[in-house]
Amino acid sequence: MGNQFLGNQNFNISNQTVTAICPSNIALIKYWGKYANQIPANPSISYTLNHCNTQTSIEFLANEPFSVQTFLAGNEEVKFAEKIEKYFKNIEQYLPWILKGKYIIKTENTFPHSSGIASSASGFGAIASCLMELDKTFSSEIRDASFEIKKASFLARLGSGSACRSLYNGLVVWGKTDEVEGSSDLFAVKYPDSEIHPIFKNFNDWVLLIHEGQKTVSSTVGHGLMNTNPYAERRFQEARENFVPLKQILKTGDLQNFIKLVEHEALTLHAMMMMSEPAFILMKTGTLEVINKLWKFREETGHPLFFTLDAGANVHLLFPENVSSETIKNFIETELLQHTQKGGVVKDVMRF
Ligand code: PMV
C-alpha cells in the first residue's frame, strides 16, 4: 500500500544534520479505531495548533551501524529510541537508505513535558519532516513541494496516525471521504481555506491541564479495543456521516451547529472508551466539573464557549476571537482554572 511513495534505490548518503518544527493538532471529528497498517476506520478532521509544537534535530552519521539515540529536552530517552528504531525498520521500503547509519535525535516540545498533551502527533510530524529533508539531500530526484509534504504526511502516519494531519496548517482531513476531494486513508490533505467561513479562521484553543502525567491507557490500546466494541461500526458510520453537515457548517459559519457537532464527537470518543471491554475512563472529576460549568455559562450568557477532548483528561476550550472573547477568557481564569491539577493552561490559537 502506498506504491507511489516507494523509495528510489539510487541514493548517495553523507553525514548530515537536519531540523524541523511541527505543530500539534486537535481533532474535531475524531479518529478512534484502525485497521492493519495504520488505516483509519473513519475519516477525521483537525485544527492545527500554533504554539504547541515539537522541534527536532536529527544528526545522521552515514555508514555507521544502524542505531538510534534520542534525547527529550536534553535527557536521554531509551524507550523512545526503541520505538523510533522499530519505526525506521518499518519504513525502509519508502526510504531505502534509512538503515544505513546512526542517528542522534534531539527533540523539545513547547508545551510542558508530561502535561498530558499528546506529543506523538507533533513528534512524528517533525521526525517525518526531517527524514524527507535527508531524503532530498540523498536522492537526486527532482520532486515538487506538494509530493514532499504528502510523503511526509504518509510517513508521519506510519509513526502515529494523527501525526499525518500536523503537516498542514488550518483544517486538515485524514481518511477517505467523498465529502473532501483528494482525501485518502494514506495521508492527510488540507481542507480548502476557501470553503471555511472567516469565523472559523480566528479561533482560540485554551488547553486546561486537568491531569498532568501519564495516561492510564495508551491510544494504541484504545484503538485496539474498538475491534471488539459492539458499537464500533455505528460509531465509524456516524463519523463518516458527520462530514456532510460539517461541510455546510464550515461554509456558512454556523457556529451553533459547529458547537453541537464538536462536543458530540468528543463525548462519543469517551463513550466508546466506557463501552470497551475492558472499559476505561480517561476523564477526571475536573473534566466533568469544567464541562458542567461551561454548559451553564453558555446557557446563561449565550457566549460561544465549547470544548473538545482528546484521549485524556485535559479539556480543550474552544471559542472564536470576537466581541465575547474577553468575557470568556475572564470566565475561564476565574471559574475553570481551579479545576486543573496545578493551575496549568496552555493558551493556543488555531494556525492558519
Ligand atoms: O494518533 P494516535 O494513535 O495517538 O490517536 C489519536 C486519537 C485521538 O487523539 C483521540 C483522536 C484524533 O483524531 O486525534
Side-chain angles (χ1 to χ4, degrees):
M1 215 177 276
N3 283 348
Q4 58 177 309
F5 300 116
L6 288 174
N8 190 331
Q9 297 297 335
N10 286 330
F11 54 80
N12 194 358
I13 55 172
S14 55
N15 290 354
Q16 295 291 339
T17 299
V18 290
T19 59
I21 295 182
C22 184
S24 185
N25 71 72
I26 180 70
L28 302 171
I29 293 179
K30 309 285 181 182
Y31 148 63
W32 196 244
K34 61 177 167 181
Y35 307 123
N37 302 318
Q38 297 275 87
I39 297 302
N42 62 262
S44 57
I45 182 167
S46 58
Y47 260 130
T48 296
L49 297 175
N50 196 40
H51 305 312
C52 289
N53 67 44
T54 299
Q55 299 131 49
T56 297
S57 77
I58 297 188
E59 189 181 347
F60 177 75
L61 301 163
N63 298 318
E64 299 234 0
F66 174 62
S67 71
V68 178
Q69 208 179 3
T70 57
F71 296 86
L72 179 56
N75 300 315
E76 184 158 13
E77 293 275 334
V78 178
K79 279 241 146 6
F80 188 48
E82 287 167 5
K83 200 170 167 182
I84 300 298
E85 259 186 43
K86 214 169 126 195
Y87 169 59
F88 283 5
K89 285 180 183 159
N90 198 25
I91 59 175
E92 193 190 6
Q93 55 184 313
Y94 306 112
L95 300 171
W97 48 265
I98 200 160
L99 303 182
K100 306 206 179 302
K102 171 179 169 163
Y103 294 82
I104 300 166
I105 303 180
K106 295 183 180 149
T107 170
E108 304 211 12
N109 299 324
T110 52
F111 42 93
H113 181 49
S114 65
S115 60
I117 296 182
S119 57
S120 65
S122 51
F124 274 102
I127 288 177
S129 298
C130 284
L131 293 177
M132 285 309 291
E133 212 40 54
L134 288 174
D135 195 49
K136 208 160 43 178
T137 315
F138 298 160
S139 57
S140 44
E141 284 177 326
I142 313 275
R143 297 178 301 213
D144 66 16
S146 81
F147 176 83
E148 293 284 318
I149 191 162
K150 212 186 254 187
K151 185 160 174 179
S153 174
F154 171 84
L155 293 173
R157 177 193 117 246
L158 294 171
S160 167
S162 59
C164 72
R165 296 186 310 236
S166 275
L167 276 296
Y168 304 84
N169 292 343
L171 285 168
V172 185
V173 174
W174 169 41
K176 178 88 194 99
T177 162
D178 291 342
E179 302 308 315
V180 181
E181 210 188 311
S183 58
S184 167
D185 286 344
L186 301 182
F187 50 83
V189 295
K190 193 171 161 56
Y191 190 84
D193 280 348
S194 58
E195 296 296 307
I196 306 172
H197 188 276
I199 194 161
F200 298 120
K201 292 185 178 169
N202 198 0
F203 236 80
N204 295 288
D205 177 5
W206 283 21
V207 193
L208 285 183
L209 306 181
I210 302 291
H211 179 79
E212 306 196 21
Q214 281 289 79
K215 290 187 291 196
T216 45
V217 178
S218 70
S219 47
T220 309
V221 172
H223 287 294
L225 288 171
M226 285 301 272
N227 293 335
T228 52
N229 188 319
Y231 295 90
E233 272 314 315
R234 183 66 199 101
R235 156 63 197 152
F236 301 149
Q237 187 56 27
E238 187 187 55
R240 282 177 216 124
E241 287 163 7
N242 277 345
F243 270 83
V244 178
L246 183 65
K247 240 177 115 171
Q248 192 62 16
I249 287 167
L250 291 173
K251 178 110 192 139
T252 58
D254 181 353
L255 195 53
Q256 292 317 314
N257 280 316
F258 187 66
I259 292 174
K260 223 159 122 181
L261 191 149
V262 170
E263 288 189 347
H264 178 76
E265 275 289 321
L267 293 174
T268 304
L269 168 70
H270 285 259
M272 285 299 123
M273 298 173 189
M274 290 184 220
M275 291 190 286
S276 293
E277 176 57 45
F280 62 105
I281 301 178
L282 296 182
M283 289 188 284
K284 300 280 180 197
T285 313
T287 316
L288 298 175
E289 305 256 31
V290 165
I291 291 174
N292 281 313
K293 272 196 180 173
L294 176 157
W295 277 344
K296 189 156 177 277
F297 171 80
R298 202 165 72 221
E299 204 181 304
E300 287 173 1
T301 66
H303 291 314
L305 172 64
F306 60 110
F307 70 88
T308 189
L309 306 164
D310 59 14
N314 295 336
V315 185
H316 286 250
L317 297 168
L318 307 176
F319 53 104
E321 183 64 34
N322 64 12
V323 283
S324 27
S325 34
E326 270 322 298
T327 316
I328 291 176
K329 287 173 187 173
N330 270 333
F331 169 72
I332 297 172
E333 304 267 7
T334 55
E335 294 295 329
L336 302 186
L337 216 54
Q338 57 190 276
H339 299 291
T340 59
Q341 204 179 9
K342 301 178 191 162
V345 56
V346 175
K347 298 176 182 175
D348 212 335
V349 292
M350 308 314 180
R351 187 189 183 97
F352 264 89

